[in-house]
Amino acid sequence: MDSLKAAVDYSKNLDMSHSTYSSRASSKQSSSSKNSHARNNNKEKETTQITASNCKNKIEEYKRAFNFFDANNDGRITIDELEKAMQKCGQRPTKLELRLIMYHGDNDQNGVITFDEFAHLMNGTASMNQYTYDQLREQFDMFDKDKDGFIEKMEMLSIVRELSLQASFPRQVVEQLFNEADIDGDGKISFEEFVLAVN
């Protein structure tokens, strides 16, 4: 999610730099006879434009960011479009990270993120605390790397490393989360224990 937000910030800064360049280019065309008056007006206009752009509705910001990701302009972001846009911004997401973003953004699990889903994801209002059985099973299977029906501690630690989340989830935190989810204390998390921990 951090790398997705970094990509969104990149697209926003890119958009703002284009609009600032345009406003400066138009201000240079003012006549020299009204130089001092024009400078004051242009400064006021530029300040107004920057203030206006800072105060723009979140929806407008989300639309611009969404369009940046939606390469073929069909109103939907696929996992391939997500990956390419993030790479343009200098991000190098792993396949697992991309799947997690799609998982949390694609509320109806139809394989694409619509604008509404994207806005909810950016706003932090995506429904991520209650999952359907299929969603839980898919997420569990993603963590169960060796496909033995259980999530072992090393699998959990491995995923944290793959997603470069050690800063937010150091080893002791991951171990604590694992121990809390491992209700029967057998050293592995079953699907039932996973459901209780997540939901």
Side-chain angles (χ1 to χ4, degrees), residues 7-176:
V8 170
D9 287 342
Y10 175 92
S11 70
K12 189 163 81 173
N13 290 337
L14 194 66
D15 186 63
M16 284 178 73
S17 67
H18 284 314
S19 65
T20 303
Y21 174 79
S22 299
S23 69
R24 285 182 181 163
S26 66
S27 72
K28 284 181 181 178
Q29 295 173 357
S30 62
S31 66
S32 58
S33 62
K34 301 174 183 177
N35 207 7
S36 63
H37 182 65
R39 274 189 202 147
N40 290 337
N41 280 344
N42 287 334
K43 280 183 186 174
E44 285 173 18
K45 282 180 187 174
E46 201 171 316
T47 305
T48 305
Q49 283 179 337
I50 291 168
T51 305
S53 85
N54 288 342
C55 296
K56 271 185 184 175
N57 191 311
K58 274 187 183 179
I59 295 297
E60 290 305 315
E61 287 184 19
Y62 293 159
K63 277 182 184 171
R64 285 195 301 274
F66 182 84
N67 291 337
F68 177 79
F69 285 92
D70 182 19
N72 61 3
N73 297 313
D74 64 351
R76 299 176 297 177
I77 300 171
T78 64
I79 194 165
D80 290 335
E81 287 175 319
L82 182 66
E83 182 175 25
K84 284 175 188 170
M86 289 175 77
Q87 285 174 348
K88 273 186 201 174
C89 304
Q91 305 294 323
R92 293 288 176 266
T94 63
K95 294 296 179 190
L96 180 57
E97 186 176 9
L98 288 165
R99 283 188 65 191
L100 282 168
I101 292 169
M102 289 298 293
Y103 179 80
H104 289 305
D106 180 17
N107 291 333
D108 54 10
Q109 301 298 301
N110 66 347
V112 293
I113 296 175
T114 62
F115 174 71
D116 286 344
E117 289 170 330
F118 182 80
H120 280 299
L121 187 62
M122 290 295 96
N123 212 28
T125 54
S127 55
M128 302 195 313
N129 50 359
Q130 292 294 322
Y131 299 100
T132 65
Y133 175 88
D134 289 339
Q135 290 170 332
L136 286 162
R137 175 53 73 179
E138 182 184 57
Q139 195 169 21
F140 179 86
D141 290 343
M142 187 169 41
F143 280 87
D144 179 18
K145 296 177 88 170
D146 61 6
K147 306 301 177 202
D148 67 346
F150 297 95
I151 299 171
E152 284 84 21
K153 192 180 292 182
M154 290 313 296
E155 289 175 319
M156 212 166 176
L157 290 165
S158 170
I159 285 168
V160 168
R161 276 195 306 275
E162 279 183 41
L163 296 177
S164 301
L165 295 174
Q166 291 99 324
S168 303
F169 296 95
R171 186 182 180 107
Q172 63 268 24
V173 172
V174 175
E175 288 181 348
Q176 183 184 342

